[in-house]
């Protein structure tokens, strides 16, 4: 024995005999596997179904079931009954199903009055077929199970006129001593199942022309002694050709040689059989070589395999599955093949399969999953002549596509292409069937979908999960795309315009990607929020931030960023605009309204107000005669007399002018000091002239009276003209100090500002003085 090869070709439905137990009036009693040695006596009279199988019952008598007048189904299989007297059931008029299989029956006595539908006597110890004349009366019989070690035509005759749906015939040892090859020809059944003895070389001589049989099942076929050992079996098969009704053939448990096996297949090929099922094949290579040579193993394979391929490829069937075998090749059928569906998954097929094959023109589905395919270009070429191919599955191979190699001439009929688990890269998008609707490319090595990909207008479903894509594809080239699966890629910043581009999208699955939660993602998240949640599969659970670290694991739905912080241009424009407005305003205020001047005035005003509150007014009011003393230079006397004094006196402010309120007999300085002491405030009209000529009059006095001390508020400085710092004599450091403290009022050149100037001045000196003192 050189090799064991196990494969299955599936096409057939094995007829199952079902027992209808659904009737509500049924009363089931199950006493199986109870170790019984007799039929139990305590059964309910209502029993309709009795199961006493798998016990040690050796006898069945009339009294055992006499009272069970309603019994319909009786199962006594797997017991030890040796002798059956069928008349024991004569009082069970309802009985229609009797299973006596797997007993030790060798004898049967028939005085039958029961009309059974199902009678199973298979797997017993009968020598001859247990068919009595009375069986001919069972007009309802649909199933008959038999067992025998010898077949005689005469024994079949009583039932030849019955139309039995299925006959099961179990042939036991020792078989074949008294053979009648034509013994089974009178079986009138659609479905025949013959079980040959196990572990025994097949040398039965039977006429296989069962004229009524449509469904034939043969179990336990062993012919391994030499290639001719199978001739008996092959003869049976050869005769099957004479039965045009035969459509289904099942072979179970075949143990044979390669040559015989191939001949079996060939034989079947020449019949009318539509559904051919072989299960459990053990093929042994008994070679004609004298010397055993292990390298011949390849020959063992190659000879029978090529023959098998030829047989397979030329089979006159629509569906063929050969899966899980070491099959390395499959030939192109020699003429136009009726194959519609071929499943060769999980074999060892290479790119050479169906090369230049023009005879698979009606093939619709081809499955080459899990083989040894390597070059996509060759597979593309393979499909070229398959004019009806709609579905191709070439997943789990090692396919790659080299753009420079070969023409990309897919068959135009292809609608669904499965390419998962290969090693395809971006280039695959340059070679896809033009009318493809469903494309599965998951678990490949795609990094991006090229922009210049030829458009696939019919593409509806695209699966590119488990690749290395960094962005969602736009639908420019896939105008009908409705389902996109792109989870588990490297998409970090999906394009926000995806939903705009892909208007027809019904479902997108893009979770488990390493999303970068930065400004760029905002728009995408917003767009996702706008489409219905059924469209986005796995939302929100499988959509999480991966970067930056602070957002890691945050669901995308909870990721928010403000518009301003994300839009640099907007931010710059906003800041710029605000700065500009401020600058313009400040400039305008400074240039046209002299803001600094106003500021100083307002400042003075508030200081004055503040101080006024702290002065013990009552005392002042008693001792003072004047509101203010005014000192000025002769040069400025015109302004003082025409502007200042009239303006203040108009408001009932009393002014002390040293030349007007002159006290005779006192020096000028004494008069000045007299004036200062009687006045609430001292106003100095500052100008370059004043500083240079008049200030000296006061310096000494002020120093003496300590009027320059911090917080002194008796002085009001009016700056009539600007005084450059450098013309103030350096000895007047007090004056300099006063002026740098901004404690002076500036005389405005513009008339419009003068109102504020006067108001400010008046506020500084206005105090209610007692009239009496004057
Ligand atoms: C043959 O098998 C097919 C598929 O299993 C089934 O549909 C058909 O009914 C069978 N034909 C007969 C005659 O049993
Ligand atoms: C009878 O009992 C046997 C053993 O428990 C079980 O396998 C079989 O299905 C039963 N038959 C019916 C018809 O219930
Ligand atoms: C069996 O079937 C044939 C044709 O289908 C019919 O002529 C014959 O009467 C049937 N016999 C019985 C016993 O039903
Ligand atoms: C076995 O058979 C092969 C092919 O016929 C041959 O090339 C090889 O030499 C043989 N080996 C031995 C050991 O005879
Ligand atoms: C062939 O197989 C396909 C897929 O399993 C099935 O749909 C079809 O009905 C089968 N055809 C026949 C003739 O059995
Ligand atoms: C590509 O197709 C052209 C024309 O159909 C053919 O001449 C050429 O040989 C093909 N090239 C390959 C590498 O198949």
């Amino acid at each position: 024995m050189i090799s064991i090869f196990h494969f299955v070709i599936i096409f057939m439905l094995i007829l199952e005999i079902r027992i209808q137990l659904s009737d509500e009036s049924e009363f089931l009693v199950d006493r199986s596997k109870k170790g019984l040695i007799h039929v139990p006596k305590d059964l309910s009279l209502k029993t309709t179904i009795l199961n006493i199988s798998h016990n040690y019952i050796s006898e069945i008598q009339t009294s055992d079931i006499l009272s069970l007048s309603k019994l319909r189904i009786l199962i006594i299989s797997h017991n030890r009954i040796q002798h059956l007297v069928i008349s024991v059931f004569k009082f069970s008029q309802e009985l229609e199903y009797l299973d006596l299989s797997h007993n030790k029956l060798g004898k049967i006595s028939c005085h039958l009055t029961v009309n059974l539908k199902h009678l199973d006597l298979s797997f017993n110890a009968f020598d001859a077929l247990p068919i009595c004349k009375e069986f001919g009366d069972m007009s309802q019989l649909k199933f008959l199970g038999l067992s025998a070690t010898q077949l005689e035509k005469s024994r079949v005759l009583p039932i030849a006129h019955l139309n039995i749906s299925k006959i099961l015939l179990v042939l036991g040892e020792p078989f074949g001593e008294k053979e009648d090859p034509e013994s089974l020809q009178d079986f009138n059944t659609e479905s025949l199942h013959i079980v040959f003895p196990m572990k025994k070389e097949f040398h039965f001589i039977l006429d296989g022309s069962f004229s009524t049989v449509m469904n034939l099942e043969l179990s336990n076929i062993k012919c391994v002694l030499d290639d001719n050992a199978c001739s008996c079996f092959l003869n049976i098969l050869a005769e099957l050709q004479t039965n045009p009704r035969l459509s289904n053939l099942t072979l179970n448990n075949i143990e044979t040689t390669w040559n015989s096996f191939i001949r079996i297949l060939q034989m079947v090929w020449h019949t009318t059989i539509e559904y051919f099922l072989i299960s459990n094949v053990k093929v042994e290579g008994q070679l004609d070589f004298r010397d055993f040579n292990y390298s011949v193993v390849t020959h063992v394979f190659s000879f029978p395999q090529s023959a098998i391929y030829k047989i397979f490829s030329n089979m006159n069937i629509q569906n063929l599955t050969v899966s899980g075998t070491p099959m390395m090749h499959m030939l192109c059928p020699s003429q136009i093949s009726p194959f519609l569906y071929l499943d060769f998954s999980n074999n060892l097929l290479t790119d050479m399969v169906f090369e230049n094959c023009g005879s698979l023109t009606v093939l619709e589905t081809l499955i080459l999953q899990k083989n040894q395919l390597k070059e996509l270009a060759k597979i593309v070429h393979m499909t070229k002549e398959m004019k009806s191919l709609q579905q191709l599955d070439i997943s789990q191979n090692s396919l790659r596509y080299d753009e420079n190699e070969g023409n990309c001439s897919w068959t135009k009929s292809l609608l669904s292409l499965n390419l998962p688990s290969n090693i395809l890269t971006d280039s695959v998008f340059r070679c896809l069937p033009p009318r493809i609707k469903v494309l599965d490319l998951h678990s490949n090595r795609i990094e991006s979908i090229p922009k210049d990909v030829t458009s696939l207008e019919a593409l509806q479903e695209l699966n590119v999960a488990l690749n290395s894509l960094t962005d969602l594809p736009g639908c420019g080239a896939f105008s009908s795309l409705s389902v996109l699966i792109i989870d588990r890629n490297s998409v970090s910043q999906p394009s926000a315009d995806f939903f705009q581009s892909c208007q027809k999208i019904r479902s997108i699955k893009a979770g488990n990607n390493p999303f970068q939660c930065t400004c760029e993602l905002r728009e995408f998240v917003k767009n996702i929020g706008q489409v219905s949640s059924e469209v986005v599969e796995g939302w929100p659970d499988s959509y999480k931030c991966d970067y930056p670290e602070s957002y890691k694991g945050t669901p995308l739905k909870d990721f928010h960023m403000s518009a301003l912080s994300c839009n640099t241009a907007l931010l710059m424009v906003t800041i710029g605009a605000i700065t500009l407005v401020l600058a313009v305003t400040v400039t305008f205020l400074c240039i046209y309204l002299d803001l600094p001047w106003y500021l100083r005035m307002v400042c003075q005003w508030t200081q004055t107000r503040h101080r006024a509150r702290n002065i013990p007014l009552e005392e002042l009011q008693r001792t003072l005669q004047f509101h203010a003393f005014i000192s000025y230079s002769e040069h400025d006397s015109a302004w003082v007399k025409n502007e200042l004094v009239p303006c203040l006196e108009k408001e009932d402010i009393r002014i002390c002018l040293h030349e007007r309120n002159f006290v005779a007999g006192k020096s000028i300085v004494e008069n000045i000091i007299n004036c200062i002491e009687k006045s609430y405030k001292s106003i100095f009209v500052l100008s370059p002239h004043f500083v240079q000529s008049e200030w000296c009059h006061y310096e000494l006095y002020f120093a003496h009276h300590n009027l320059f001390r911090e917080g002194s508020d008796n002085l009001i400085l009016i700056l009539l003209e600007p005084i450059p710092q450098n013309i103030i004599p350096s000895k007047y450091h007090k004056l300099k100090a006063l002026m740098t403290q901004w404690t002076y009022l500036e005389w405005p050149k513009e008339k419009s500002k003068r109102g504020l100037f006067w108001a400010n001045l008046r506020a500084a000196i206005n105090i209610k003085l007692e009239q009496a003192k004057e």
Side-chain angles (χ1 to χ4, degrees):
M1 184 189 299
I2 292 173
S3 64
I4 290 172
F5 187 98
H6 180 121
F7 62 93
V8 182
I9 307 167
I10 296 172
F11 264 123
M12 195 164 169
L13 183 104
I14 300 169
L15 192 76
E16 259 181 49
I17 301 296
R18 285 172 196 272
I19 304 163
Q20 293 297 320
L21 297 176
S22 54
D23 197 327
E24 275 164 32
S25 61
E26 301 293 7
F27 190 91
L28 172 74
V29 176
D30 187 353
R31 298 282 174 88
S32 61
K33 297 182 182 167
K34 293 282 189 300
L36 303 175
I37 53 170
H38 298 293
V39 179
K41 306 275 180 210
D42 58 340
L43 298 169
S44 161
L45 300 184
K46 289 187 284 180
T47 307
T48 57
I49 302 173
L50 176 60
N51 190 348
I52 45 173
S53 65
H54 298 271
N55 283 302
Y56 306 100
I57 301 168
S58 56
E59 224 182 2
I60 181 155
Q61 294 172 346
T62 312
S63 56
D64 291 335
I65 51 167
L66 181 62
S67 55
L68 304 177
S69 61
K70 295 212 157 41
L71 194 63
R72 223 167 50 74
I73 295 176
L74 177 58
I75 299 153
I76 332 175
S77 61
H78 296 275
N79 276 286
R80 294 176 172 179
I81 301 172
Q82 294 178 353
H83 184 202
L84 177 67
V85 182
I86 288 197
S87 57
V88 300
F89 302 111
K90 66 184 170 211
F91 299 108
S92 306
Q93 289 298 324
E94 305 286 317
L95 191 67
E96 55 186 40
Y97 187 109
L98 179 58
D99 184 355
L100 279 158
S101 62
H102 298 275
N103 275 282
K104 294 189 163 27
L105 286 170
K107 263 196 193 162
I108 180 165
S109 312
C110 307
H111 302 286
L112 202 71
T113 50
V114 233
N115 201 355
L116 294 170
K117 287 182 179 164
H118 182 107
L119 174 60
D120 195 350
L121 300 169
S122 63
F123 298 99
N124 274 292
F126 298 109
D127 290 330
L129 282 171
I131 300 173
C132 327
K133 280 199 279 306
E134 289 80 357
F135 280 23
D137 299 336
M138 291 195 279
S139 55
Q140 304 286 312
L141 199 61
K142 291 291 160 225
F143 176 89
L144 180 60
L146 301 166
S147 63
T149 56
Q150 43 189 286
L151 301 176
E152 283 169 76
K153 189 174 162 73
S154 59
R155 302 210 61 128
V156 177
L157 288 174
I159 56 165
H161 67 285
L162 296 176
N163 296 339
I164 304 173
S165 299
K166 178 163 183 177
I167 293 180
L168 167 65
L169 174 59
V170 180
L171 299 178
E173 297 277 12
F175 180 79
E177 272 142 40
K178 275 204 225 162
E179 278 176 24
D180 184 352
E182 297 188 354
S183 52
L184 302 183
Q185 277 194 331
D186 292 324
F187 274 151
N188 183 3
T189 180
E190 279 181 13
S191 193
L192 176 62
H193 183 183
I194 305 178
V195 180
F196 295 99
M198 295 238 266
K199 313 269 181 209
K200 191 165 187 291
E201 277 297 305
F202 194 98
H203 53 260
F204 311 103
I205 299 169
L206 280 177
D207 184 346
S209 57
F210 318 105
S211 59
T212 57
V213 175
M214 297 163 77
N215 196 338
L216 180 64
E217 185 171 350
L218 302 173
S219 298
N220 305 334
I221 298 138
K222 181 173 175 180
C223 45
V224 291
L225 290 183
D226 62 82
D227 282 348
N228 295 327
C230 247
S231 57
C232 295
F233 182 64
L234 288 168
N235 285 341
I236 297 176
L237 291 184
E239 280 159 10
L240 297 181
Q241 295 172 45
T242 63
N243 172 10
R245 303 183 70 194
L246 188 65
S247 70
N248 294 13
L249 175 65
T250 304
L251 303 180
N252 297 319
N253 299 332
I254 305 185
E255 195 175 337
T256 185
T257 60
W258 275 113
N259 287 348
S260 303
F261 183 59
I262 292 156
R263 277 199 256 159
I264 292 169
L265 296 177
Q266 265 171 343
M267 205 71 89
V268 172
W269 180 37
H270 289 297
T271 66
T272 51
I273 288 164
E274 283 174 50
Y275 299 91
F276 181 34
L277 182 142
I278 308 175
S279 64
N280 251 341
V281 187
K282 191 167 167 188
V283 186
E284 304 179 0
Q286 198 77 34
L287 297 169
D288 293 328
F289 297 105
R290 279 213 183 128
D291 295 315
F292 197 73
N293 177 342
Y294 278 96
S295 72
V296 174
V297 170
T298 47
H299 283 251
V300 176
F301 267 99
S302 69
F303 163 66
Q305 274 206 344
S306 61
I308 286 173
Y309 301 153
K310 200 167 169 195
I311 305 274
F312 279 163
S313 65
N314 288 302
M315 271 182 182
N316 188 21
I317 54 175
Q318 293 187 327
N319 284 10
L320 175 64
T321 299
V322 180
S323 179
T325 75
M327 182 168 75
M328 285 180 286
H329 193 54
M330 180 50 68
L331 296 175
C332 180
S334 52
Q335 51 199 336
I336 299 299
S337 159
F339 284 141
L340 290 179
Y341 175 98
L342 289 181
D343 180 353
F344 294 152
S345 54
N346 200 5
N347 292 301
L348 299 173
L349 296 173
T350 65
D351 299 344
M352 312 295 283
V353 67
F354 295 138
E355 201 180 21
N356 295 320
C357 183
S359 53
L360 291 169
T361 49
V362 299
L363 185 65
E364 288 174 359
T365 305
L366 176 57
I367 300 173
L368 297 174
Q369 188 191 79
K370 228 171 168 189
N371 275 285
Q372 308 276 316
L373 309 181
K374 291 204 164 59
E375 281 177 48
L376 186 64
K378 292 212 170 125
I379 303 303
V380 172
H381 189 71
M382 174 196 81
T383 68
K384 205 173 168 187
E385 302 288 320
M386 299 181 176
K387 306 235 177 291
S388 309
L389 190 67
Q390 293 186 2
Q391 201 180 344
L392 176 63
D393 184 345
I394 41 179
S395 54
Q396 299 185 58
N397 281 284
S398 315
L399 286 166
R400 61 174 83 235
Y401 176 65
D402 183 350
E403 290 179 67
N404 308 318
E405 235 178 73
N407 296 335
C408 188
S409 49
W410 285 101
T411 174
K412 299 221 177 357
S413 56
L414 203 56
L415 301 179
S416 167
L417 181 56
N418 281 42
L419 285 164
S421 304
N422 279 293
I423 46 177
L424 295 161
T425 58
D426 307 0
S427 63
V428 70
F429 280 93
R430 297 193 204 286
C431 182
L432 290 170
R435 287 167 51 200
I436 193 83
K437 282 187 178 165
V438 180
L439 177 59
D440 190 346
L441 274 165
H442 82 256
S443 303
N444 274 285
R445 299 188 185 164
I446 300 166
E447 286 169 7
S448 70
I449 295 177
K451 292 273 177 278
D452 56 342
V453 44
T454 37
S455 81
L456 299 173
E457 273 155 28
L459 188 65
Q460 292 171 357
E461 291 186 33
L462 176 61
N463 183 345
V464 281
L466 287 155
N467 277 285
S468 311
L469 286 158
T470 53
D471 198 359
L472 302 180
C475 287
F478 317 124
S479 52
S480 306
L481 195 67
S482 67
V483 176
L484 176 64
I485 303 173
I486 190 170
D487 55 326
R488 293 172 207 276
N489 272 275
S490 309
V491 179
S492 54
Q493 296 187 341
S495 318
D497 61 2
F498 174 78
F499 291 100
Q500 264 168 336
S501 157
C502 301
Q503 294 281 351
K504 293 197 180 149
I505 212 84
R506 252 189 313 111
S507 162
I508 173 171
K509 187 173 179 188
N512 297 304
N513 272 297
F515 292 108
Q516 269 194 31
C517 289
T518 55
C519 290
E520 285 73 18
L521 201 69
R522 282 175 61 247
E523 196 69 9
F524 177 73
V525 174
K526 200 179 102 198
N527 291 350
I528 275 200
Q530 282 165 358
V531 300
S532 110
S533 60
E534 287 127 50
V535 170
V536 187
E537 270 191 60
W539 180 267
D541 295 343
S542 50
Y543 296 74
K544 294 199 171 123
C545 299
D546 188 62
Y547 176 90
E549 217 46 48
S550 55
Y551 279 112
K552 201 173 176 113
T554 310
L556 250 53
K557 98 178 145 60
D558 299 333
F559 163 70
H560 302 292
M561 267 189 135
S562 75
L564 198 57
S565 60
C566 278
N567 193 332
T568 327
L570 184 61
L571 186 65
M572 296 315 285
V573 165
T574 311
I575 293 175
I578 292 173
T579 314
L580 191 68
V581 167
L582 271 178
V584 167
T585 314
V586 167
T587 313
F588 175 81
L589 287 173
C590 291
I591 294 177
Y592 293 97
L593 300 172
D594 203 357
L595 182 74
W597 182 85
Y598 277 105
L599 282 176
R600 283 203 297 277
M601 294 304 272
V602 168
C603 182
Q604 209 119 359
W605 173 285
T606 37
Q607 280 178 4
T608 315
R609 289 260 150 217
H610 176 69
R611 278 186 212 131
R613 255 178 263 130
N614 301 335
I615 296 166
L617 269 178
E618 282 171 24
E619 196 194 324
L620 286 172
Q621 283 165 343
R622 260 183 284 112
T623 53
L624 296 177
Q625 284 182 21
F626 299 100
H627 285 99
F629 155 73
I630 299 177
S631 173
Y632 55 94
S633 154
E634 267 318 300
H635 280 274
D636 307 320
S637 64
W639 180 76
V640 172
K641 286 181 180 142
N642 299 334
E643 298 265 2
L644 182 62
V645 175
C647 199
L648 291 179
E649 289 189 333
K650 186 173 74 186
E651 301 282 327
D652 277 346
I653 289 172
R654 279 170 273 156
I655 304 290
C656 182
L657 290 173
H658 69 271
E659 66 265 29
R660 201 169 65 182
N661 306 78
F662 192 79
V663 177
K666 289 194 175 174
S667 71
I668 290 177
V669 173
E670 278 173 322
N671 267 309
I672 288 173
I673 290 167
N674 185 38
C675 247
I676 290 174
E677 282 172 351
K678 287 179 178 166
S679 300
Y680 175 43
K681 293 279 160 98
S682 301
I683 298 174
F684 292 88
V685 180
L686 299 184
S687 69
H689 298 290
F690 181 85
V691 171
Q692 280 166 342
S693 61
E694 308 285 339
W695 180 257
C696 58
H697 292 307
Y698 311 100
E699 182 76 18
L700 187 66
Y701 171 80
F702 289 147
H704 184 72
H705 284 84
N706 206 14
L707 280 175
F708 292 139
R709 72 182 185 278
E710 200 71 16
S712 159
D713 60 347
N714 283 15
L715 296 180
I716 295 174
L717 306 181
I718 294 177
L719 190 64
L720 194 59
E721 286 171 43
I723 303 171
Q725 284 281 314
N726 57 6
I727 71 160
I728 302 176
S730 57
K731 58 183 176 180
Y732 301 152
H733 53 274
K734 288 293 173 196
L735 180 63
K736 280 187 177 180
L738 282 173
M739 290 193 60
T740 52
Q741 284 170 9
W742 274 39
T743 53
Y744 50 84
L745 296 169
E746 258 179 280
W747 171 246
K749 299 267 175 291
E750 302 90 337
K751 276 219 165 74
S752 61
K753 294 182 185 171
R754 288 182 186 167
L756 179 59
F757 172 86
W758 292 125
N760 212 345
L761 184 60
R762 279 197 298 270
I765 55 181
N766 207 355
I767 179 175
K768 217 170 183 189
L769 296 181
E770 286 174 26
Q771 297 292 319
K773 290 269 165 101
E774 197 172 347

